[in-house]
Amino acid sequence: MTSSGSALEAFEIAVLAAVLIFGSYFLTWRMLMGVRWRRRPTLSADPIPDHWREIVSRRVPVAGRLTDAEHEKLLRLVQVFLREKIIEGCDGLDVTEEMKVMIAAQACVLLLHLDAGCYPGLRTVLVYPGTYRPRRPSWFKYDLGSTEALVGESWRHGVVILSWDSVASQAADSMDGRNVTLHEFAHQLDQQDGVADGTPALQSPSAVRHWAAIIARHYDDLVSAAASGRDTVLDYYGATNKAEFFAVATETFFEQPIQLRQQQPELYDALRVFYGQDPAQRLTVPPGPPVPLHPTPPVTLSP
């Protein structure tokens, strides 16, 4: 073997070793970044206001088929969310308690069965009356950047931005596959491990690899569908990148679960396992009789 051949072989081995080391480091880093995300929130024992239940029943139909236990946990998570996060209006919008409960309830639907904290990296939710034009930080000033009007954004440094018109109208129709609140808070889940790439914080490197492979296959299929105009249950906006794909898939999972399960069962199953919820099953199985909150004890007859 020539000296040049030996040098080339040594270089290839060094590159392979570097890739393996970096890959192991990256996966370990993602696991560590996800530790805080997986810390369960401390639920309050304070009474839940009765009007919160009415607000969720009337304004958050995506939560309409939850069990009694899930409803109770959802409202407890809303308590945590409203205790820890600031929700404030922009451009003169007065954010009422009902609006805050609506936003928090939709965001917390995603958390119901996750072994997770209540969006620990999130500090503030900014709510505009309608569409808005984003501002991007630059070295010297805030730059208007894109002139496209937006309905929502999720930033990795603890901010979600929502258009109230879109929040209200899309919440009212829980089966159209579009929900800006679910979309932006899916981004928050994706960003909790420090990377916005369509792969949220998961329990193990093997889970990360398995999830990434599924997302890659279905993302490529959506890109192909968007290019050819082929019908699909997923909005073409999900073909923008894998982060948007995860957010769009989450919207569809909760709002059009039966169609997603029929058209893309592998993707549906991955989301079902991740979220610990089966919304298609909720829609296809008739609800059982309500369980009394205080069951009547059995009557003992004297002999």
Side-chain angles (χ1 to χ4, degrees):
M1 181 180 293
T2 64
S3 59
S4 59
S6 299
L8 179 59
E9 182 178 343
F11 175 75
E12 290 173 345
I13 292 173
V15 169
L16 178 59
V19 169
L20 291 174
I21 292 171
F22 176 78
S24 299
Y25 171 80
F26 179 68
L27 289 175
T28 302
W29 174 72
R30 292 191 68 148
M31 296 303 105
L32 293 175
M33 286 292 291
V35 167
R36 183 175 63 148
W37 174 77
R38 288 194 294 271
R39 291 176 183 168
R40 294 181 180 180
T42 301
L43 301 181
S44 173
D46 295 338
I48 297 170
D50 288 339
H51 62 283
W52 284 16
R53 302 180 190 275
E54 187 274 332
I55 291 169
V56 172
S57 175
R58 177 169 50 87
R59 302 294 303 270
V60 189
V62 74
R65 303 276 294 198
L66 301 180
T67 65
D68 290 343
E70 287 173 327
H71 268 291
E72 182 71 16
K73 183 175 182 182
L74 178 64
L75 290 166
R76 292 296 176 192
L77 287 169
V78 169
Q79 284 182 313
V80 175
F81 190 101
L82 296 183
R83 182 178 69 232
E84 296 181 351
K85 320 302 178 187
I86 298 170
I87 304 179
E88 61 180 88
C90 301
D91 285 355
L93 179 66
D94 180 22
V95 180
T96 65
E97 182 184 19
E98 178 164 322
M99 294 163 70
K100 291 179 180 180
V101 170
M102 270 189 70
I103 291 169
Q106 291 177 86
C108 291
V109 162
L110 305 185
L111 304 180
L112 273 177
H113 295 288
L114 287 181
D115 184 16
C118 186
Y119 301 105
L122 177 68
R123 301 188 311 273
T124 305
V125 180
L126 302 177
V127 187
Y128 284 83
T131 57
Y132 62 94
R133 301 195 183 279
R135 297 188 300 172
R136 308 293 187 202
S138 69
W139 283 106
F140 303 107
K141 62 179 181 179
Y142 262 88
D143 183 7
L144 287 177
S146 169
T147 59
E148 180 184 3
L150 300 180
V151 299
E153 288 180 283
S154 174
W155 295 357
R156 273 179 285 182
H157 53 278
V159 178
V160 164
I161 306 176
L162 298 169
S163 156
W164 174 249
D165 284 351
S166 298
V167 169
S169 63
Q170 293 177 11
D173 188 346
S174 63
M175 301 184 72
D176 66 351
R178 298 182 64 83
N179 186 304
V180 66
T181 311
L182 297 182
H183 184 105
E184 299 307 334
F185 281 92
H187 279 313
Q188 282 290 301
L189 294 180
D190 183 14
Q191 294 162 354
Q192 289 293 347
D193 62 359
V195 184
D197 61 354
T199 299
L202 298 170
Q203 297 286 352
S204 67
S206 61
V208 170
R209 289 191 295 268
H210 178 68
W211 174 276
I214 292 174
I215 292 297
R217 283 195 295 272
H218 290 273
Y219 169 72
D220 289 344
D221 181 70
L222 184 60
V223 170
S224 175
S228 64
R230 171 165 49 88
D231 287 340
T232 172
V233 67
L234 297 172
D235 192 290
Y236 289 159
Y237 186 66
T240 305
N241 54 52
K242 290 178 183 176
E244 295 299 349
F245 179 84
F246 173 59
V248 166
T250 293
E251 290 179 89
T252 309
F253 176 73
F254 283 99
E255 293 222 334
Q256 294 183 321
I258 295 176
Q259 298 94 315
L260 182 63
R261 186 176 65 178
Q262 291 172 342
Q263 293 187 25
Q264 301 192 38
E266 182 187 48
L267 177 61
Y268 181 88
D269 195 57
L271 292 165
R272 179 188 61 79
V273 171
F274 172 69
Y275 283 112
Q277 302 186 52
D278 194 344
Q281 182 76 358
R282 289 181 186 142
L283 292 175
T284 54
V285 175
V291 178
L293 296 179
H294 304 287
T296 304
V299 177
T300 303
L301 298 177
S302 48

